[in-house]
Structures are given as structure tokens and as C-alpha cells.
């Protein structure tokens, strides 16, 4: 009975680690374009300087007079590490009969990964009022991997999460001030997750009165998932142009629950699917062309992470206490000449997690320091480059997996100070026809 309860708690812990990795606000993929990356996505729901604007607000397609295409990629290099920490491994048997072995996990690094996230956009005006567009990009994804000999294997393992949005949108210009847009998203998600549990088991091998204990480390898998699936979401937006130099944009995105099907195996049971809810998002942006050379822009984004209240896998339900989050960003664009446009931005990104923290992906509030440029090859084509240094905070993590017997906690635990930073670099080609 004790072993069964312990293993059920192990699955709970594995799910906790998995969800933080997959859904943490700091690892929401703000990587839709190199242009936006270079200004910390400040003003991206209204600027409309290339076709990638439709990813943040479909109403911006009404501002294009010619067919426009953008394609590119963003490289995300995340640096996740444990600055200092202690892991207490469960020990069963021996003297005393139940205890812990302490391991120093300070200095564990190389947990993060490097990912390449592609994107593609096409906007086609039909007439002065209507336009349509298609897009392919990602909003969510991450990847981490602890080494096989990492002591706290139940709290860290292998995670690979990828998602891709395939969108189709239309826009309508009502008059010189108001434009509206809406679209559908076909979201493809896939994931591979693995968690192991380990403990030391000791047994008396003596035939006499004096005990002699032989101890062995037991290690086995408690979570192994390889699944993928599709879901349909939607988005709509509005643009208000005060005049040629000042405009505002507002958008809302409905995100569905993705049902991923495949192999979902746990020590407590098996299943063929995993439901993963995604959060809705709303964004407001402003753009102000203040002089012939300079423009200021900003965005406020809200993400409904509180909708992620539980996760069910193989008959086990895990409750969470997440909070709504989002970001605030400000930026500036300097139109140097006909060939070069320079930009920069700053973002403060608020974490989604509240009480629940994880050593696997330590979620915290983050700051974005961004810069980029556009080089105009000719009047119809250009290349964009953007770069961001993402600065996290030291995060205290205290996790426990086990049971209480007679008011005494029995199990395994980890206490650590973690840190997560990242570098993002994007490159993009845009052309009008």
C-alpha cells in the first residue's frame, strides 16, 4: 500500500514538472517574426510593416495595398541551470527503517535546449475593402533534458514540446479609420515526456542476531508520453487609425484544448490520449509616428493562464493554482534612410506560476532587451534581423513527493535556487508583389 501511494505521488510530481515546462508564460513562444523580435513585439498588433503582422492581429491585413509575403525563422537558445540545491532521496530499510540520502545538485547546467522556429505569412488584398491571408508559425513550445545520471530524476527528465499554427484570415476595411479581421487556426501539437523515480532499498542479509544490510538503488520509469494531435482555434481583431501617424490595434485569440493521441504510459495506468488546455490571449497596441525619422510604439498582452486549472492523464487529475499573466512592452523605430530602419524595445514578461515551481523549467518574471534592423534590398523586398536577451530571476524551488504517515512526511524532496535566461535571434525576408 505504501509503495502504491508513493508511486501515485510520483506521477503527480511528473505531471507537475511537465506542465510547467509546457505552459510557462516565460516560455510562451514570442517568436512570430524577426521584425517583432527586434522591438520586443512592442506595437506588433498595429504597426503592419510586413505580412507577419497578421499573427498578432488579422485586422492589420486591411492596411496592405499589395500582395505581401514574409518568411523567416527564430533561433531560441535557452540557458536553464540549478545554481545551488539539495536532493533528498528516499531510503527504505536499514537503520532507521525509513530515511533519506542527501545529494548536492548545485551547478547542474545544460538543461535548456536550442530550437529553430520557422514562420511564413502571405497577405493578398482583393480590393480596397477586403483582403485574405494565410500563415504558419508557433505560439507554444519548449525542450529540456537532464542527463541520465541526474540524481533527482523524478523532478527532471526529458521534455520535447512543439506546436504549430496554420492560419487563414480575412479582413474588411469599413472606412478610413476602422478595419476588422478574423481567422481560424489549425493547431498541431506534439510532445515527448519521460520521468523516472529512484530510491534506495536496504534489506537485512544476516543470518545472525547482528543485522547486516545490503542496499541497492531502485530506478524505474513512472511517465512516458509520445503523443500528437490537432485542434481548431480562432482570432479576431480591430484597427483604429486616428490619422496617418497614429493608430491603435486590439486583438483576441481563442485557444482550444489540444487532445494529443499516442502512447501515454504511467506507473499508475495507461491511456491513449492527453488533453492539454491552451490559454486565450488579448493584446492592445499603439503606434505613433512622432517625427519624420522616429516612431514610438507599445503593447499590453493578457494571457488567461488561470484557465489551466487541472491536467488529466491516465485517470489521474492534477490540480494547479495558476494566475493570469502577460507582458508590457515599449519600443522605438528610427527610419535612418531609404535603405536602413533601426528599432529597439523592452518587455516585462510576467510569470504564470504562483505557488508551484519546478527545477525543470524555473518560471519567473523576465525582462526582454531587444534590438534589430531592416535592410531594404530594393523598393519591394527587405531583410529583417532581430535579437533579444531574455533575463530571468533567481527562483527558489521547494518540491516534495511522498505521503504522510502519522503526520510524518515520507518521501523525496528537492530544494534549489534555479535560473533561466535565453537568447533569441531572428532572420526574415519580406517581399511585396
Amino acid at each position: 500500500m505504501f509503495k502504491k501511494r508513493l508511486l501515485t505521488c510520483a506521477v503527480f510530481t511528473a505531471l507537475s514538472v511537465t506542465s510547467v515546462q509546457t505552459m510557462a508564460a516565460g516560455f510562451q513562444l514570442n517568436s512570430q517574426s524577426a521584425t517583432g523580435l527586434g522591438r520586443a513585439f512592442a506595437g506588433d498588433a498595429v504597426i503592419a510593416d510586413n505580412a507577419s503582422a497578421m499573427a498578432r492581429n488579422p485586422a492589420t491585413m486591411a492596411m496592405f495595398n499589395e500582395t505581401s509575403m514574409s518568411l523567416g525563422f527564430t533561433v531560441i537558445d535557452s540557458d536553464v541551470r540549478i545554481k545551488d540545491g539539495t536532493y533528498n532521496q528516499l531510503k527504505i530499510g536499514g537503520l532507521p527503517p525509513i530515511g533519506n540520502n542527501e545529494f548536492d545538485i548545485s551547478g547542474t547546467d545544460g538543461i535548456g535546449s536550442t530550437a529553430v522556429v520557422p514562420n511564413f505569412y502571405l497577405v493578398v488584398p482583393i480590393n480596397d475593402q477586403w483582403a485574405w491571408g494565410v500563415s504558419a508559425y508557433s505560439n507554444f513550445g519548449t525542450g529540456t533534458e537532464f542527463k541520465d545520471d541526474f540524481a533527482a530524476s523524478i523532478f527532471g527528465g526529458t521534455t520535447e514540446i512543439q506546436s504549430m499554427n496554420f492560419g487563414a484570415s480575412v479582413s474588411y476595411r469599413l472606412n478610413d479609420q476602422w478595419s476588422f479581421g478574423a481567422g481560424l487556426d489549425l493547431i498541431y501539437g506534439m510532445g515527448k515526456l519521460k520521468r523516472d523515480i529512484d530510491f534506495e532499498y536496504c534489506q537485512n542479509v544476516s543470518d545472525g542476531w547482528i543485522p547486516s544490510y545490503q542496499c541497492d538503488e531502485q530506478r524505474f520509469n513512472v511517465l512516458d508520453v509520445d503523443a500528437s494531435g490537432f485542434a481548431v482555434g480562432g482570432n479576431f481583431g480591430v484597427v483604429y487609425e486616428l490619422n496617418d501617424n497614429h493608430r491603435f490595434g486590439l486583438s483576441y485569440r481563442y485557444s482550444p484544448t489540444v487532445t494529443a493521441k499516442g502512447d501515454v504510459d504511467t506507473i499508475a495506468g495507461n491511456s491513449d490520449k492527453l488533453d492539454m488546455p491552451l490559454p486565450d490571449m488579448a493584446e492592445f497596441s499603439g503606434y505613433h509616428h512622432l517625427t519624420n525619422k522616429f516612431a514610438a510604439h507599445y503593447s499590453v498582452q493578457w494571457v488567461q493562464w488561470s484557465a489551466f486549472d487541472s491536467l488529466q492523464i491516465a485517470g489521474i487529475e492534477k490540480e494547479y493554482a495558476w494566475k493570469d499573466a502577460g507582458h508590457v512592452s515599449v519600443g522605438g523605430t528610427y527610419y535612418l534612410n531609404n535603405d536602413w530602419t533601426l528599432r529597439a524595445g523592452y518587455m516585462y514578461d510576467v510569470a504564470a506560476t504562483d505557488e508551484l515551481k519546478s527545477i525543470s523549467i524555473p518560471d519567473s518574471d523576465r525582462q526582454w532587451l531587444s534590438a534589430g534592423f531592416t535592410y531594404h534590398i530594393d523598393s519591394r523586398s527587405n531583410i529583417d534581423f532581430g535579437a533579444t536577451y531574455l533575463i530571468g530571476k533567481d527562483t527558489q524551488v521547494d518540491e516534495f513527493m511522498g505521503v504522510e504517515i502519522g503526520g510524518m512526511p515520507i518521501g523525496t524532496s528537492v530544494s534549489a535556487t534555479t535560473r533561466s535566461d535565453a537568447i533569441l535571434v531572428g532572420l526574415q525576408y519580406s517581399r511585396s508583389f
Side-chain angles (χ1 to χ4, degrees):
M1 175 62 73
F2 170 75
K3 184 175 181 181
K4 182 178 179 180
R5 293 171 64 189
L6 181 65
L7 296 180
T8 301
C9 290
V11 177
F12 281 169
T13 303
L15 295 181
S16 301
V17 174
T18 297
S19 64
V20 172
Q21 291 178 324
T22 307
M23 308 294 288
F27 281 83
Q28 170 193 346
L29 288 183
N30 279 308
S31 60
Q32 290 80 13
S33 71
T35 317
L37 184 64
R39 56 182 172 234
F41 295 94
D44 259 39
V46 75
I47 293 181
D49 37 15
N50 56 55
S52 65
M54 67 180 296
R56 314 292 282 214
N57 187 350
T60 58
M61 297 190 304
M63 302 170 64
F64 289 83
N65 298 319
E66 298 177 305
T67 298
S68 299
M69 177 203 69
S70 292
L71 74 160
F73 62 89
T74 300
V75 178
I76 304 173
D77 183 20
S78 58
D79 177 19
V80 182
R81 58 198 182 277
I82 299 174
K83 299 181 68 174
D84 59 78
T86 301
Y87 167 60
N88 293 305
Q89 179 194 56
L90 178 64
K91 180 180 180 180
I92 303 174
L95 294 174
I98 296 178
N100 291 101
N101 297 319
E102 184 175 295
F103 293 88
D104 185 7
I105 57 174
S106 301
T108 302
D109 57 10
I111 304 169
S113 64
T114 300
V116 179
V117 184
N119 57 74
F120 172 81
Y121 308 93
L122 178 67
V123 175
V124 181
I126 301 173
N127 51 40
D128 291 341
Q129 291 183 301
W130 291 93
W132 63 271
V134 293
S135 59
Y137 59 95
S138 179
N139 276 325
F140 304 98
T142 186
T144 58
E145 184 172 5
F146 286 78
K147 296 180 180 179
D148 292 339
D149 60 354
F150 178 63
S153 56
I154 186 59
F155 298 105
T158 298
T159 299
E160 181 182 349
I161 302 295
Q162 298 176 1
S163 72
M164 200 71 189
N165 281 43
F166 301 95
S169 305
V170 295
S171 67
Y172 176 75
R173 177 177 284 279
L174 180 64
N175 51 41
D176 289 340
Q177 281 75 45
W178 292 97
S179 300
F180 303 89
L184 290 176
D185 295 314
L186 179 62
I187 303 173
Y188 173 73
M190 62 173 292
K192 296 181 180 180
L193 312 168
K194 185 178 180 181
R195 297 292 181 271
D196 295 333
I197 186 173
D198 69 286
F199 58 91
E200 188 178 59
Y201 178 72
C202 301
Q203 57 182 338
N204 184 10
V205 295
S206 173
D207 294 329
W209 291 96
I210 301 176
S212 176
Y213 291 96
Q214 179 178 324
C215 299
D216 296 302
E217 183 172 299
Q218 306 290 319
R219 186 185 181 110
F220 48 87
N221 180 258
V222 296
L223 178 66
D224 196 346
V225 177
D226 188 350
S228 62
F230 287 92
V232 177
N235 61 91
F236 62 88
V238 58
V239 168
Y240 176 73
E241 299 174 71
L242 185 62
N243 52 46
D244 291 340
N245 295 320
H246 303 277
R247 54 185 181 267
F248 306 92
L250 178 66
S251 65
Y252 188 90
R253 178 176 300 277
Y254 161 72
S255 298
T257 295
V258 176
T259 298
K261 297 182 178 181
D263 298 323
V264 182
D265 301 325
T266 78
I267 196 68
N270 302 324
S271 178
D272 61 355
K273 67 177 183 178
L274 170 66
D275 292 333
M276 185 70 72
L278 300 177
D280 290 3
M281 294 180 282
E283 184 167 1
F284 174 78
S285 295
Y287 174 83
H288 306 282
H289 203 155
L290 302 177
T291 69
N292 290 334
K293 294 284 189 179
F294 181 75
H297 31 87
Y298 47 86
S299 287
V300 178
Q301 187 185 73
W302 166 82
V303 185
Q304 192 185 16
W305 288 114
S306 61
F308 187 73
D309 56 353
S310 65
L311 181 68
Q312 295 190 9
I313 180 171
I316 298 175
E317 181 176 1
K318 174 64 180 178
E319 298 293 333
Y320 295 91
W322 284 32
K323 61 183 180 181
D324 292 345
H327 70 247
V328 177
S329 58
V330 294
T333 299
Y334 185 73
Y335 303 94
L336 182 63
N337 50 43
N338 292 332
D339 294 329
W340 294 92
T341 300
L342 311 178
R343 59 182 62 90
Y346 170 82
M347 177 194 296
Y348 192 86
D349 195 8
V350 179
T353 56
D354 193 4
E355 298 298 327
L356 176 65
K357 302 292 183 181
S358 168
I359 64 169
S360 191
I361 291 293
D363 192 24
S364 69
D365 292 355
R366 294 178 172 88
Q367 300 181 75
W368 290 52
L369 304 178
S370 305
F373 63 82
T374 300
Y375 174 68
H376 299 272
I377 301 172
D378 52 44
S379 60
R380 290 187 172 274
S381 59
N382 61 69
I383 294 176
D384 282 280
F385 174 83
T388 289
Y389 180 45
L390 191 153
I391 307 171
K393 292 182 178 180
D394 287 356
T395 302
Q396 178 62 37
V397 177
D398 295 290
E399 295 183 274
F400 172 77
M401 185 275 292
V403 296
E404 282 194 10
I405 298 179
M408 178 182 296
I410 299 174
T412 182
S413 65
V414 64
S415 179
T417 300
T418 61
R419 180 65 177 253
S420 178
D421 301 318
I423 295 176
L424 296 82
V425 178
L427 190 65
Q428 179 179 316
Y429 174 76
S430 299
R431 183 174 177 82
S432 59
F433 303 90

